[in-house]
Amino acid sequence: MAFALRLLFLLCGISGLLTGVWSKPKLVVKDNGCPKGWTRLDCHCYIFQDEVRSFADAESVCQIIHGNLASIHSDLENAFVLEIIRAGGEILQSWIGLHDALADGDYIWTDGSEEDFLNFDVGAAVPEPNSGTGDCVEIDQTDGLWQTADCMDTNLRTYVCITDVLLH
């Protein structure tokens, strides 16, 4: 199972390279530089998706809409993502883009950005290697702290996507 999940992430990455994920998408952009329905903070646009999906499926949907699961790099960005989730209604946990599915204990963001900020709830689910299914990270709506969950297809959560601001 762990091998299959790692292979899936590797294939998604290669597929993105081959299909031009990094090319400039042709999207309808609002005056603030974000696609319609997205909310801007600094140089990024965010959108909350209230349809529950597995971590891998959520990342795939984010890529389809020209983004990735949200990467968070500051307290301000964490609070911003939390407010987007809270505006979506009564949600307990939502996926963000941090995971260690490729190597236990080695957390990376799905968008490839630097891991320079962590907000794990050290009193609850401290990130540690598990039984080989990989740890994916969710943000808790009540306090904005992060916790880990198995990256299994049966773990379904809402999620937040991020993309760069598109300049005209």
Side-chain angles (χ1 to χ4, degrees):
M1 178 70 168
F3 175 76
L5 188 60
R6 288 184 177 109
L7 184 60
L8 174 69
F9 278 111
L10 179 62
L11 290 175
C12 285
I14 291 170
S15 172
L17 288 173
L18 296 176
T19 59
V21 164
W22 289 294
S23 63
K24 289 290 181 191
K26 305 280 191 260
L27 299 172
V28 176
V29 179
K30 298 189 306 186
D31 289 339
N32 70 357
C34 291
K36 185 176 181 180
W38 295 62
T39 305
R40 181 174 178 171
L41 174 68
D42 296 330
C43 296
H44 295 100
C45 305
Y46 303 81
I47 191 166
F48 173 72
Q49 300 290 317
D50 63 356
E51 183 177 342
V52 295
R53 296 192 178 270
S54 68
F55 185 88
D57 285 348
E59 174 62 17
S60 294
V61 170
C62 289
Q63 288 182 359
I64 289 168
I65 59 176
H66 304 287
N68 292 94
L69 283 171
S71 57
I72 300 175
H73 301 281
S74 68
D75 282 322
L76 174 64
E77 196 170 15
N78 195 71
F80 183 80
V81 168
L82 182 60
E83 288 308 311
I84 289 174
I85 295 167
R86 287 178 176 164
E90 295 291 322
I91 310 299
L92 294 180
Q93 292 92 17
S94 297
W95 294 126
I96 56 175
L98 194 63
H99 68 90
D100 76 346
L102 301 177
D104 277 343
D106 186 14
Y107 286 85
I108 59 173
W109 291 107
T110 58
D111 65 4
S113 61
E114 180 182 352
E115 182 220 298
D116 55 0
F117 174 81
L118 296 174
N119 198 39
F120 282 105
D121 182 357
V122 293
V126 177
E128 59 186 42
N130 61 18
S131 61
T133 58
D135 289 317
C136 293
V137 178
E138 59 191 18
I139 184 171
D140 189 292
Q141 183 212 28
T142 56
D143 55 16
L145 295 175
W146 306 351
Q147 53 199 21
T148 60
D150 285 342
C151 298
M152 297 170 46
D153 288 339
T154 56
N155 283 340
L156 305 178
R157 308 277 188 275
T158 58
Y159 53 100
V160 178
C161 300
I162 187 173
T163 193
D164 292 331
V165 168
L166 302 172
L167 302 175
H168 313 281

